[in-house]
Amino acid sequence: MTVTEDQTRDPEAALEAQFDRTVAAEGRIEPRDWMPEGYRKTLIRQIAQHAHSEIIGMQPEGNWILRAPSLRRKAILLAKVQDEAGHGLYLYSATETLGVDRSELTEKLIDSKQKYSSIFNYPTLTFADIGVIGWLVDGAAIVNQVPLCRSSYGPYARAMVRICKEESFHQRQGFELLRTLMAGTDAQRAMVQDAVDRWWWPSLMMFGPADGDSPNTQQSMAWRIKRHTNDELRQRYVDMTVPQAEALGVTLPDPELRWNDERQAHDFGDIDWDEFMQVVKGAGPCNAQRLQNRRAAHEDGQWVRDAASAYAAKQAAKEVAA
Amino acid sequence: MTVTEDQTRDPEAALEAQFDRTVAAEGRIEPRDWMPEGYRKTLIRQIAQHAHSEIIGMQPEGNWILRAPSLRRKAILLAKVQDEAGHGLYLYSATETLGVDRSELTEKLIDSKQKYSSIFNYPTLTFADIGVIGWLVDGAAIVNQVPLCRSSYGPYARAMVRICKEESFHQRQGFELLRTLMAGTDAQRAMVQDAVDRWWWPSLMMFGPADGDSPNTQQSMAWRIKRHTNDELRQRYVDMTVPQAEALGVTLPDPELRWNDERQAHDFGDIDWDEFMQVVKGAGPCNAQRLQNRRAAHEDGQWVRDAASAYAAKQAAKEVAA
Amino acid sequence: REDLAAYCLMLADDALIASQRLAGWTTKAPELEEEVALANIALDLLGQARVLLSRAGHLGAAEPFRAGPWDAQRSGAGPLPQDDEDVLTYFRDDRAFRNVTLVETDLGDFGRTIAWLLVLSSWRLALMQRLTGSGDPVLAAVAGKAVKELTYHRDYAAQWVLRLGDGTEVSHVRMQAGLDAVWPFVEELFLPHAVERRLADAGVAVDPGGLRAEVDAVLDQVLPTATLTRPERPAVGLVGGRGGRDGVHTEALGTLLALMQSLARAHPEATW
Amino acid sequence: REDLAAYCLMLADDALIASQRLAGWTTKAPELEEEVALANIALDLLGQARVLLSRAGHLGAAEPFRAGPWDAQRSGAGPLPQDDEDVLTYFRDDRAFRNVTLVETDLGDFGRTIAWLLVLSSWRLALMQRLTGSGDPVLAAVAGKAVKELTYHRDYAAQWVLRLGDGTEVSHVRMQAGLDAVWPFVEELFLPHAVERRLADAGVAVDPGGLRAEVDAVLDQVLPTATLTRPERPAVGLVGGRGGRDGVHTEALGTLLALMQSLARAHPEATW
């Protein structure tokens, strides 16, 4: 790279131009590269929110591990929840490359200063919810996340590749559970339909507000952090899910849902944005519970983390002394 | 009462003589009366041990309150365990008339410096155990306690009158539960026999060591604190219980148990005194658990008791100020 | 008749689940007097639940559950032999419970329990006071007895709120935290269910929307004296517009019932 | 054959119940790395349990439970459709579980959990190491895989014992308290059951009495380095000479199973 006269005079502008070129050319920004402060902040917020979602998302599923009705399902569920802890780890690591550390972000989470996906503020009321979370919630997450595998920020894109692979696996497992239940007893089938009735609309809300109400989308798309608008992704999700619901034999709880031949896409009913906003603001069915559990785990673990630090310091001191 | 010359010279001896006469005449010693230090200590030890037994005894039964298989049984069990807390209260009050307070005794309990009945160191494994505790354990307690209603120490005797009345009620309830189970399904009958098999021998141990190994008995009997030896009471219990077992249709797990026409009493097999000593020394199936639970409840409640004292002090100060 | 059965279940389940929660304090209370008092309250509520469950049973509420809670095809077995109150308690799944979610929440420490009890008993007392005038003589009689019991429960809770709120610094913090934790579940107490509305119109039930003033009056009297602040925390949301009265509960109820029902369900042919 | 089935159940139940306890840490661990590690260990143990339960099932252990756990007269229903491993897991009552009581104990805080894991994994590792030489090829194969897994579990636990024992003053106290709390359950690990004795004589099983030296060696190495003291607390006693291996458990197991089995038992006709 040659340094032009212009760049020498305003190195910041030069760096920004370089950054813009890289992004425009679908290149990757890496931790040591210069990046605009807004880009960094947006990334931190988005990745942290994603990491928090993985961690809080362990709770609704964790609710059924001890009661899983077969050992095979118990193993699958335990492994899935473990994977989510793993995803949280990669994502927090990705934020560390941007200069914030995990404990700082955890504090922000438990102080309600950062958010997580609103879907995890709904309760899991039956074991069919486990299948539906796999099918619908992980399904929606994948639609959201697949484009992020091409995110302009390298560590995030690489984390997403790994995460998306595991999420697809989880989604297939969820769908397979639902298939089994639908082939089972009447009670099992009723359980599935009930779970679908409860989770369908919240899953549509996972894509965020309608485009008109999503002020950050344009900048995020310009930075290639985001690649599609909320409504585009939501439509993709609906179109993908409807045939799966048919294959499964469940009814999606939306009387307005139908194929629109003209648009070559499904029309669907209005989302209850009041409910969405309520949940986002902390008034969902489980917000208080989720945060309280996370806070309790964090506080209860403080003495353990302190011990680990103290021990590591002692060991380091011994090595120096030796 | 006239003061003789002799009594003037040695008031202690006079008091002791008076005490001895009262006791010998089946009179009652009351808190303000003079009493020998050994008498006081023996009483404190015995009443405290009895109070602790009521409190620790709540645990094995409490284990089944949340799972009681009918609402009627749940209400009966909850009320019974509540009565035991009440018995603990009366008994600790009786010790307070002897100059020690409840918190001091509780500390001694959780520091393993005072004992409680070894029977409560066995686990309750099925709901039939609830019936068997009522029948056998309360039955043995009653045999032990009825003579204590005539104890020479007034507050203790009066507490025992009330307690014995309630214990008889509990025993009848226990027996009635067992009757119901024996009239029920095969599984219920098997449950009862299994529970009887586990509780019979420990219930015999409730009367304490054989007379030859019970050094304090003679003094306690002279003081009219105790009125029968351990072996006398144990024999009475066996003789009382055998026909009840027959009525119930259960087998007591002792092949040597049989009527002895000559003695006009039942012969029975040797008690496993090694097991008894082990349990007394802290190595029973549940000793650690029982004490740990009691300690945890006591420690967890410290802030509440502190608050109550602080509040009472503030209120008292306000009244003085007003 | 169906409405009345449903209404009896609502009032019964509130008491039943609350009683189960309180019974969980057994052997864990901070003092023996509290062991006795909490057990008393649990017993009172259990008694209220039993009368109301039996009434619901007389009105037919237990019939759907008499075949056992399981898949209909396991039909070789006869109907359950238990009393209505036990069929309704032990062989309903959580989705058929009609209690408000407040009663099923984890009681946490003694401070949270006391906050929970103050809110619950103030509300239920206000409800039962009005229900004494019910056009249904059974409900009116149940309410008459319950009013006396609940007055004691509320006073017990209020006294402890004062002691803990205005006791030590530690207890003040914990009491306030307990109140904060309970708060999100308060709003649901005042949401009328369609069944309650219809029966209230018929002069049989109480519309819970009208109870807010009485509960607020208690809180407005007790909290400031106890140096506590009325929390400002959002209410828990419903799930698609449905809450405890519709059988949509928190995650806590399933776990509570798993333990409560385990033994009865292991022996469906048995009576105890 | 009956002995072998019983022996498979013993080894399976130890792993199954331990796995269930560890799974209880989910979303509660002190750090994400520990979430992952504890879940890993729980999964390893669950895997060991499943193979051993299936083996026990092949040997006929599930048959007595196929009619459902209930009173025989509820006999209109057919046999349970589940796999052997699930029949054995969900439709046995606690008295038919053969695990040592250590595994069913409440894990308490992280310190106690780590103490529990150190003891449990050192013991099971020693056991499985010997079992690789079993005359039964299936057991030998199970053991071969388990040895690798348990070596990791033990090392994980040992590292945390060091960190907590020699970390802060608080952690030292809590780690020692955890060790003390676990200690009464250690002795039972070395008590041979009649089945173990018979099968050990036949070269199929391991007599646990011989494992003490190896467990002691681990503790003697780890505890002093971690500045911890080997507790001197009496072992929990047996009930009439019977312990976990005979189906006489602590009060903790019934509660654990009530939750674990609740859903499967609510739908005995279902497969999942």
Side-chain angles (χ1 to χ4, degrees), chain C residues 133-157:
Chain C
S134 168
D136 182 86
V138 180
L139 285 181
V142 168
K145 181 157 187 285
V147 163
K148 292 189 201 97
E149 296 169 345
L150 291 159
T151 304
Y152 162 72
H153 305 174
R154 184 202 54 189
D155 292 350
Y156 174 80

mmCIF file of all heavy atoms in Angstrom, chain C residues 133-157:
data_model
loop_
_atom_site.group_PDB
_atom_site.id
_atom_site.type_symbol
_atom_site.label_atom_id
_atom_site.label_comp_id
_atom_site.label_asym_id
_atom_site.label_seq_id
_atom_site.Cartn_x
_atom_site.Cartn_y
_atom_site.Cartn_z
ATOM 1 N N GLY C 133 -71.203 -11.927 50.174
ATOM 2 C CA GLY C 133 -72.504 -11.526 49.666
ATOM 3 C C GLY C 133 -72.908 -12.236 48.390
ATOM 4 O O GLY C 133 -73.826 -11.808 47.696
ATOM 5 N N SER C 134 -72.202 -13.330 48.065
ATOM 6 C CA SER C 134 -72.488 -14.040 46.813
ATOM 7 C C SER C 134 -73.904 -14.614 46.813
ATOM 8 O O SER C 134 -74.413 -15.046 47.849
ATOM 9 C CB SER C 134 -71.485 -15.183 46.634
ATOM 10 O OG SER C 134 -71.911 -16.044 45.585
ATOM 11 N N GLY C 135 -74.489 -14.634 45.643
ATOM 12 C CA GLY C 135 -75.794 -15.254 45.478
ATOM 13 C C GLY C 135 -75.740 -16.769 45.641
ATOM 14 O O GLY C 135 -76.763 -17.423 45.825
ATOM 15 N N ASP C 136 -74.515 -17.323 45.571
ATOM 16 C CA ASP C 136 -74.365 -18.762 45.769
ATOM 17 C C ASP C 136 -74.121 -19.016 47.253
ATOM 18 O O ASP C 136 -73.101 -18.574 47.805
ATOM 19 C CB ASP C 136 -73.187 -19.269 44.935
ATOM 20 C CG ASP C 136 -73.017 -20.765 45.069
ATOM 21 O OD1 ASP C 136 -73.668 -21.504 44.325
ATOM 22 O OD2 ASP C 136 -72.223 -21.179 45.958
ATOM 23 N N PRO C 137 -75.016 -19.728 47.899
ATOM 24 C CA PRO C 137 -74.881 -19.858 49.355
ATOM 25 C C PRO C 137 -73.620 -20.613 49.782
ATOM 26 O O PRO C 137 -73.047 -20.315 50.832
ATOM 27 C CB PRO C 137 -76.142 -20.619 49.761
ATOM 28 C CG PRO C 137 -76.661 -21.261 48.520
ATOM 29 C CD PRO C 137 -76.214 -20.425 47.379
ATOM 30 N N VAL C 138 -73.168 -21.572 48.983
ATOM 31 C CA VAL C 138 -71.947 -22.304 49.350
ATOM 32 C C VAL C 138 -70.744 -21.368 49.315
ATOM 33 O O VAL C 138 -69.940 -21.325 50.254
ATOM 34 C CB VAL C 138 -71.731 -23.522 48.434
ATOM 35 C CG1 VAL C 138 -70.467 -24.253 48.840
ATOM 36 C CG2 VAL C 138 -72.936 -24.455 48.472
ATOM 37 N N LEU C 139 -70.639 -20.622 48.233
ATOM 38 C CA LEU C 139 -69.520 -19.673 48.147
ATOM 39 C C LEU C 139 -69.589 -18.656 49.287
ATOM 40 O O LEU C 139 -68.562 -18.316 49.884
ATOM 41 C CB LEU C 139 -69.526 -18.951 46.795
ATOM 42 C CG LEU C 139 -69.045 -19.773 45.598
ATOM 43 C CD1 LEU C 139 -69.080 -18.915 44.330
ATOM 44 C CD2 LEU C 139 -67.625 -20.297 45.829
ATOM 45 N N ALA C 140 -70.769 -18.199 49.577
ATOM 46 C CA ALA C 140 -70.906 -17.209 50.657
ATOM 47 C C ALA C 140 -70.438 -17.796 51.988
ATOM 48 O O ALA C 140 -69.751 -17.129 52.770
ATOM 49 C CB ALA C 140 -72.362 -16.753 50.758
ATOM 50 N N ALA C 141 -70.761 -19.070 52.206
ATOM 51 C CA ALA C 141 -70.355 -19.705 53.463
ATOM 52 C C ALA C 141 -68.847 -19.910 53.516
ATOM 53 O O ALA C 141 -68.194 -19.638 54.530
ATOM 54 C CB ALA C 141 -71.088 -21.040 53.625
ATOM 55 N N VAL C 142 -68.290 -20.390 52.407
ATOM 56 C CA VAL C 142 -66.825 -20.551 52.331
ATOM 57 C C VAL C 142 -66.150 -19.221 52.628
ATOM 58 O O VAL C 142 -65.203 -19.127 53.408
ATOM 59 C CB VAL C 142 -66.412 -21.046 50.927
ATOM 60 C CG1 VAL C 142 -64.910 -20.923 50.738
ATOM 61 C CG2 VAL C 142 -66.869 -22.484 50.706
ATOM 62 N N ALA C 143 -66.667 -18.188 52.018
ATOM 63 C CA ALA C 143 -66.060 -16.863 52.169
ATOM 64 C C ALA C 143 -66.138 -16.387 53.620
ATOM 65 O O ALA C 143 -65.190 -15.798 54.138
ATOM 66 C CB ALA C 143 -66.739 -15.867 51.233
ATOM 67 N N GLY C 144 -67.262 -16.664 54.251
ATOM 68 C CA GLY C 144 -67.427 -16.218 55.628
ATOM 69 C C GLY C 144 -66.334 -16.767 56.535
ATOM 70 O O GLY C 144 -65.735 -16.047 57.337
ATOM 71 N N LYS C 145 -66.049 -18.050 56.379
ATOM 72 C CA LYS C 145 -64.995 -18.662 57.176
ATOM 73 C C LYS C 145 -63.619 -18.127 56.754
ATOM 74 O O LYS C 145 -62.766 -17.834 57.602
ATOM 75 C CB LYS C 145 -65.059 -20.179 56.981
ATOM 76 C CG LYS C 145 -64.037 -20.965 57.767
ATOM 77 C CD LYS C 145 -64.512 -22.407 57.974
ATOM 78 C CE LYS C 145 -63.588 -23.185 58.898
ATOM 79 N NZ LYS C 145 -62.320 -23.581 58.261
ATOM 80 N N ALA C 146 -63.432 -17.998 55.448
ATOM 81 C CA ALA C 146 -62.124 -17.585 54.935
ATOM 82 C C ALA C 146 -61.761 -16.185 55.398
ATOM 83 O O ALA C 146 -60.584 -15.878 55.625
ATOM 84 C CB ALA C 146 -62.113 -17.671 53.403
ATOM 85 N N VAL C 147 -62.746 -15.314 55.529
ATOM 86 C CA VAL C 147 -62.465 -13.931 55.931
ATOM 87 C C VAL C 147 -61.748 -13.892 57.275
ATOM 88 O O VAL C 147 -60.756 -13.168 57.450
ATOM 89 C CB VAL C 147 -63.776 -13.109 55.987
ATOM 90 C CG1 VAL C 147 -63.570 -11.823 56.786
ATOM 91 C CG2 VAL C 147 -64.235 -12.776 54.575
ATOM 92 N N LYS C 148 -62.208 -14.699 58.200
ATOM 93 C CA LYS C 148 -61.558 -14.713 59.521
ATOM 94 C C LYS C 148 -60.116 -15.187 59.396
ATOM 95 O O LYS C 148 -59.202 -14.612 59.974
ATOM 96 C CB LYS C 148 -62.312 -15.659 60.469
ATOM 97 C CG LYS C 148 -63.690 -15.133 60.833
ATOM 98 C CD LYS C 148 -64.316 -15.979 61.947
ATOM 99 C CE LYS C 148 -65.836 -15.814 61.947
ATOM 100 N NZ LYS C 148 -66.538 -16.887 61.228
ATOM 101 N N GLU C 149 -59.945 -16.255 58.640
ATOM 102 C CA GLU C 149 -58.595 -16.807 58.498
ATOM 103 C C GLU C 149 -57.665 -15.800 57.818
ATOM 104 O O GLU C 149 -56.542 -15.556 58.272
ATOM 105 C CB GLU C 149 -58.667 -18.105 57.680
ATOM 106 C CG GLU C 149 -59.460 -19.203 58.398
ATOM 107 C CD GLU C 149 -59.775 -20.418 57.512
ATOM 108 O OE1 GLU C 149 -59.634 -20.324 56.275
ATOM 109 O OE2 GLU C 149 -60.168 -21.462 58.071
ATOM 110 N N LEU C 150 -58.152 -15.224 56.739
ATOM 111 C CA LEU C 150 -57.292 -14.343 55.956
ATOM 112 C C LEU C 150 -56.960 -13.053 56.693
ATOM 113 O O LEU C 150 -55.901 -12.471 56.478
ATOM 114 C CB LEU C 150 -57.955 -14.039 54.607
ATOM 115 C CG LEU C 150 -58.017 -15.262 53.684
ATOM 116 C CD1 LEU C 150 -59.092 -15.085 52.620
ATOM 117 C CD2 LEU C 150 -56.660 -15.523 53.038
ATOM 118 N N THR C 151 -57.855 -12.636 57.559
ATOM 119 C CA THR C 151 -57.556 -11.447 58.367
ATOM 120 C C THR C 151 -56.329 -11.725 59.233
ATOM 121 O O THR C 151 -55.415 -10.895 59.330
ATOM 122 C CB THR C 151 -58.758 -11.084 59.263
ATOM 123 O OG1 THR C 151 -59.902 -10.911 58.422
ATOM 124 C CG2 THR C 151 -58.488 -9.814 60.042
ATOM 125 N N TYR C 152 -56.293 -12.922 59.809
ATOM 126 C CA TYR C 152 -55.110 -13.297 60.588
ATOM 127 C C TYR C 152 -53.862 -13.378 59.701
ATOM 128 O O TYR C 152 -52.790 -12.877 60.066
ATOM 129 C CB TYR C 152 -55.359 -14.627 61.311
ATOM 130 C CG TYR C 152 -54.094 -15.284 61.770
ATOM 131 C CD1 TYR C 152 -53.372 -14.768 62.845
ATOM 132 C CD2 TYR C 152 -53.589 -16.392 61.101
ATOM 133 C CE1 TYR C 152 -52.188 -15.354 63.249
ATOM 134 C CE2 TYR C 152 -52.399 -16.985 61.497
ATOM 135 C CZ TYR C 152 -51.699 -16.462 62.567
ATOM 136 O OH TYR C 152 -50.519 -17.036 62.947
ATOM 137 N N HIS C 153 -54.006 -13.966 58.529
ATOM 138 C CA HIS C 153 -52.841 -14.107 57.636
ATOM 139 C C HIS C 153 -52.271 -12.727 57.277
ATOM 140 O O HIS C 153 -51.062 -12.517 57.277
ATOM 141 C CB HIS C 153 -53.213 -14.829 56.339
ATOM 142 C CG HIS C 153 -53.856 -16.171 56.537
ATOM 143 N ND1 HIS C 153 -54.359 -16.901 55.490
ATOM 144 C CD2 HIS C 153 -54.073 -16.926 57.643
ATOM 145 C CE1 HIS C 153 -54.876 -18.032 55.951
ATOM 146 N NE2 HIS C 153 -54.713 -18.074 57.257
ATOM 147 N N ARG C 154 -53.195 -11.819 56.947
ATOM 148 C CA ARG C 154 -52.748 -10.492 56.532
ATOM 149 C C ARG C 154 -52.061 -9.780 57.696
ATOM 150 O O ARG C 154 -51.010 -9.165 57.537
ATOM 151 C CB ARG C 154 -53.937 -9.660 56.053
ATOM 152 C CG ARG C 154 -53.533 -8.305 55.515
ATOM 153 C CD ARG C 154 -54.705 -7.348 55.555
ATOM 154 N NE ARG C 154 -55.273 -7.277 56.909
ATOM 155 C CZ ARG C 154 -56.407 -6.650 57.208
ATOM 156 N NH1 ARG C 154 -57.109 -6.084 56.258
ATOM 157 N NH2 ARG C 154 -56.843 -6.625 58.455
ATOM 158 N N ASP C 155 -52.631 -9.909 58.885
ATOM 159 C CA ASP C 155 -52.038 -9.218 60.017
ATOM 160 C C ASP C 155 -50.675 -9.807 60.371
ATOM 161 O O ASP C 155 -49.742 -9.078 60.714
ATOM 162 C CB ASP C 155 -52.989 -9.287 61.225
ATOM 163 C CG ASP C 155 -54.249 -8.474 60.966
ATOM 164 O OD1 ASP C 155 -54.284 -7.727 59.966
ATOM 165 O OD2 ASP C 155 -55.205 -8.614 61.746
ATOM 166 N N TYR C 156 -50.579 -11.120 60.264
ATOM 167 C CA TYR C 156 -49.287 -11.758 60.502
ATOM 168 C C TYR C 156 -48.238 -11.219 59.524
ATOM 169 O O TYR C 156 -47.129 -10.850 59.914
ATOM 170 C CB TYR C 156 -49.437 -13.275 60.357
ATOM 171 C CG TYR C 156 -48.139 -14.034 60.449
ATOM 172 C CD1 TYR C 156 -47.566 -14.319 61.680
ATOM 173 C CD2 TYR C 156 -47.480 -14.456 59.296
ATOM 174 C CE1 TYR C 156 -46.368 -15.004 61.762
ATOM 175 C CE2 TYR C 156 -46.278 -15.144 59.367
ATOM 176 C CZ TYR C 156 -45.723 -15.418 60.603
ATOM 177 O OH TYR C 156 -44.533 -16.086 60.691
ATOM 178 N N ALA C 157 -48.622 -11.182 58.247
ATOM 179 C CA ALA C 157 -47.675 -10.702 57.228
ATOM 180 C C ALA C 157 -47.322 -9.241 57.478
ATOM 181 O O ALA C 157 -46.148 -8.851 57.417
ATOM 182 C CB ALA C 157 -48.264 -10.881 55.835
#
